[in-house]
């Protein structure tokens, strides 16, 4: 009697691990992993009653239309999940987030127009991700970050028109990538992909079928063959334009900088201003077409042509002025440190490698001079020197604009 009771107790202990819903067949593999085979069963939902010990779940070729947040809650130990060839059009966020051991996820040949990308943050063990043959139109920037074990990524046969720069960065194990049969718009926003494909060791499967659908002049051309002449990263060059002080006794000089940029497509010009008291970021002009300053932007006058003017430049305006050129291919910036000479307490926070900076020993530059491009650094100090008459408001209000280069000068290109 006792042996019989022992057998019954053992069966009771093991029965949860052997639970298998009637539409499926379950078995234990040689490596000890439990397989639940539920493919080709005309299922419309994930079956209930699966063992929590299941590590492989096959649900391919059914009629599943949706995965709810709790659809896979019974199988937290899953390592492989095969959902290909269903009718899945919706996956609720959180459906995969509770599967931290998942290594293989196949959702190919479904109807997904969206995917819960945020769930991938919890799938650090993922090695294979198949999302091919769906209706995905975008991969959010950073969506794949953290998948350091991912070896194979299938995104082919979707509706991707572009991909954000750096989409495949942070994937050190990636060996195979499929992107073919997507309607890529080969604008310069996608030019990074060409450069990445040329530099990476990742195998871009069927690269010859990864083609441009737009613009018309590039239609049918491989994405990896976008002409480099169409997409040129920005260059930036700073010049200064001096101007006299205004007529009032307290008015100072007008600091005027001009940023010349080049690139294809034409770069947008932005300004970054860093003084001891404030940080100002200017994206686009602050001066309207009629010449008036836009609301709240009267202090720093940024013109569409790349000119920046600061009327009545005073000690509180000393700091670093940076022109940033941005286009779809990249970003370039060039900076200048500006200080007023003759003030009682010249700005001490400005970086100065030249011990004579701020003293009347520097050479002068004529109006409109370019900042010296021959150096190898990124900074130099422009110092306004006002005569005593100009500072007191008496007599002529002319001034000189001198430059005192730092040890490395200014790199403009």
């Amino acid at each position: 009697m006792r042996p019989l009771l022992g057998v019954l107790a053992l069966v009771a202990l093991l029965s949860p691990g052997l639970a298998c819903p009637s539409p499926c067949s379950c078995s234990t593999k040689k490596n000890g992993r439990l397989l639940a085979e539920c493919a080709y069963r005309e299922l419309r939902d994930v079956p209930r009653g699966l063992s929590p010990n299941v590590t492989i779940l096959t649900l391919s070729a059914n009629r599943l239309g949706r995965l709810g947040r709790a659809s896979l809650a019974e199988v937290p130990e899953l390592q492989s999940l095969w959902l290909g060839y269903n009718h899945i059009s919706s996956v609720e966020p959180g459906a995969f987030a509770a599967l931290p051991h998942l290594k293989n996820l196949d959702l190919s040949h479904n109807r997904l127009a969206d995917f819960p990308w945020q769930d991938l943050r919890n799938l650090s063990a993922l090695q294979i991700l198949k999302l091919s043959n769906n209706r995905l139109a975008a991969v959010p920037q950073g969506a794949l970050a953290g998948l350091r074990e991912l070896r194979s990524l299938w995104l082919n046969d979707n509706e991707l028109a572009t991909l954000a720069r750096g989409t495949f960065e942070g994937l050190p194990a990636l060996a195979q990538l499929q992107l073919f049969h997507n309607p890529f718009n080969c604008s310069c926003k996608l030019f990074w992909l060409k450069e990445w494909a040329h530099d990476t060791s990742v195998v871009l499967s069927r690269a010859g079928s990864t083609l441009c659908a737009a613009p018309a002049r590039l239609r049918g051309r491989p994405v990896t063959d976008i002409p480099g002449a169409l997409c040129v990263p920005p260059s930036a060059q700073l010049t200064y334009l001096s101007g006299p002080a205004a007529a009032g006794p307290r008015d100072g000089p007008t600091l005027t900088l001009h940023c010349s940029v080049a690139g294809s497509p034409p770069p947008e010009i932005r300004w970054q201003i860093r003084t001891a008291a404030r940080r100002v970021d200017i994206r686009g002009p602050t001066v309207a077409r009629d010449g008036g300053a836009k609301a709240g932007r009267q202090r720093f006058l940024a013109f569409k042509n790349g000119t920046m003017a600061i009327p009545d430049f005073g000690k509180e305006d000393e700091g670093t002025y940076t022109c940033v050129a941005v286009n779809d291919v990249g970003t370039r910036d060039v900076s200048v440190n500006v200080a007023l000479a003759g003030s009682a307490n010249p700005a001490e926070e400005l970086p100065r490698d030249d011990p004579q900076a701020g003293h009347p020993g520097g050479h002068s530059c004529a109006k409109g001079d370019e900042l010296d491009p021959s150096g190898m650094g990124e900074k130099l100090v422009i110092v306004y020197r006002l005569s005593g008459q100009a500072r007191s408001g008496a007599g002529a209000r002319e001034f000189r604009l001198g430059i005192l280069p730092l040890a490395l000068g200014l790199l403009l290109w």
Side-chain angles (χ1 to χ4, degrees):
M1 185 68 178
R2 286 182 179 179
L4 178 60
L5 290 175
V7 171
L8 292 175
L10 182 62
V11 170
L13 287 173
L14 294 178
S15 58
L18 299 175
C20 190
S22 57
C24 308
S25 60
C26 301
S27 60
T28 302
K29 310 297 286 185
K30 291 183 179 179
N31 55 14
R33 292 188 294 178
L34 185 61
L35 166 66
E37 175 61 69
C38 310
Y40 297 95
R41 303 294 201 276
E42 296 291 319
L43 298 175
R44 295 182 179 273
D45 296 291
V46 177
R48 297 286 112 198
L50 287 165
S51 167
N53 298 327
V54 167
T55 57
I56 305 172
L57 176 58
T58 302
L59 285 163
S60 304
N62 280 292
R63 302 180 66 82
L64 303 180
R66 178 180 178 276
L67 290 179
R69 183 181 181 88
S71 294
L72 301 164
E74 291 183 339
V75 283
E77 300 298 319
L78 271 186
Q79 295 181 22
S80 297
L81 176 59
W82 309 110
L83 291 161
Y85 293 92
N86 276 280
H87 302 160
I88 301 172
S89 60
S90 174
V91 179
E92 187 175 349
F96 304 123
L99 304 175
H101 308 292
L102 198 62
K103 295 181 179 180
N104 306 305
L105 175 58
D106 180 8
L107 276 161
S108 61
H109 295 272
N110 277 285
R111 302 173 182 178
L112 289 172
D114 198 9
F115 179 80
W117 301 100
Q118 62 271 33
D119 283 14
L120 296 181
R121 299 170 189 167
N122 294 337
L123 305 186
S124 58
L126 199 63
Q127 296 179 7
I128 298 175
L129 177 58
K130 295 184 178 182
L131 293 170
S132 53
N133 293 89
N134 276 284
R135 301 171 183 176
L136 297 173
V139 177
Q141 191 164 14
L144 304 173
L147 298 180
R148 300 189 62 81
E149 302 298 323
L150 191 67
R151 295 185 287 105
S152 182
L153 176 60
W154 298 26
L155 291 169
N156 56 283
D157 292 275
N158 275 284
E159 298 179 7
L160 300 172
T162 192
L163 290 165
R165 177 184 293 272
T167 295
F168 308 118
E169 292 180 1
L171 302 175
L174 190 64
Q176 179 196 29
L177 175 64
Q178 297 189 176
L179 292 173
F180 54 87
H181 295 167
N182 277 288
F184 285 118
N185 180 350
C186 292
S187 71
C188 291
K189 290 182 179 180
L190 199 63
F191 188 73
W192 72 269
L193 183 59
K194 169 189 174 176
E195 297 180 317
W196 178 85
H198 286 173
D199 295 339
T200 187
S201 60
V202 177
V203 175
L204 190 61
S205 301
R206 296 178 62 180
S209 298
T210 307
L211 306 177
C212 303
R217 67 180 181 277
L218 297 179
R219 186 177 297 127
R221 191 165 185 164
V223 169
T224 54
D225 195 27
I226 301 175
L230 298 178
C231 303
V232 180
S235 61
Q237 184 179 42
L238 264 179
T239 57
Y240 71 82
L241 303 169
S242 61
R250 296 184 180 178
D251 291 328
T254 296
L255 171 65
T256 307
L257 300 172
H258 182 73
C259 186
S260 301
V261 298
S264 179
E268 171 192 349
I269 297 177
R270 305 172 185 173
W271 290 92
Q272 296 174 350
I273 301 167
R274 304 292 184 262
T275 68
R278 58 178 157 180
R279 303 168 67 89
V280 179
D281 292 320
I282 299 174
R283 300 171 68 95
T286 63
V287 178
R289 291 184 178 180
D290 61 4
K294 297 180 180 179
R297 296 288 189 177
Q298 292 84 356
R299 183 73 192 107
F300 301 103
L301 304 179
F303 296 83
K304 187 176 181 179
N305 68 349
T307 296
M308 163 68 70
I310 303 94
D312 192 19
F313 188 88
K315 185 178 185 306
E316 68 278 6
D317 301 312
E318 293 178 333
T320 302
Y321 289 73
T322 302
C323 168
V324 184
V326 181
N327 69 6
D328 292 336
V329 190
T331 301
R332 193 60 187 251
D333 63 81
V334 59
S335 299
V336 61
N337 288 331
V338 185
L340 273 173
S343 57
N345 297 297
E348 296 178 355
E349 69 279 357
L350 295 180
R352 295 181 180 178
D353 294 334
D354 184 344
Q356 300 300 318
H359 298 283
H363 65 276
S364 63
C365 287
K367 177 179 179 180
D369 277 359
E370 295 178 2
L371 305 181
D372 180 15
S374 60
M376 297 298 290
E378 296 182 352
K379 304 286 185 185
L380 70 89
V381 177
I382 294 181
V383 181
Y384 278 97
R385 294 182 179 82
L386 300 180
S387 66
Q389 287 182 326
R391 293 184 59 80
S392 66
R397 294 191 169 274
E398 296 181 352
F399 65 91
R400 295 176 62 203
L401 179 60
I403 64 171
L404 294 175
L406 296 181
L408 295 180
L410 175 64
L411 180 63
L412 296 175
W413 294 98

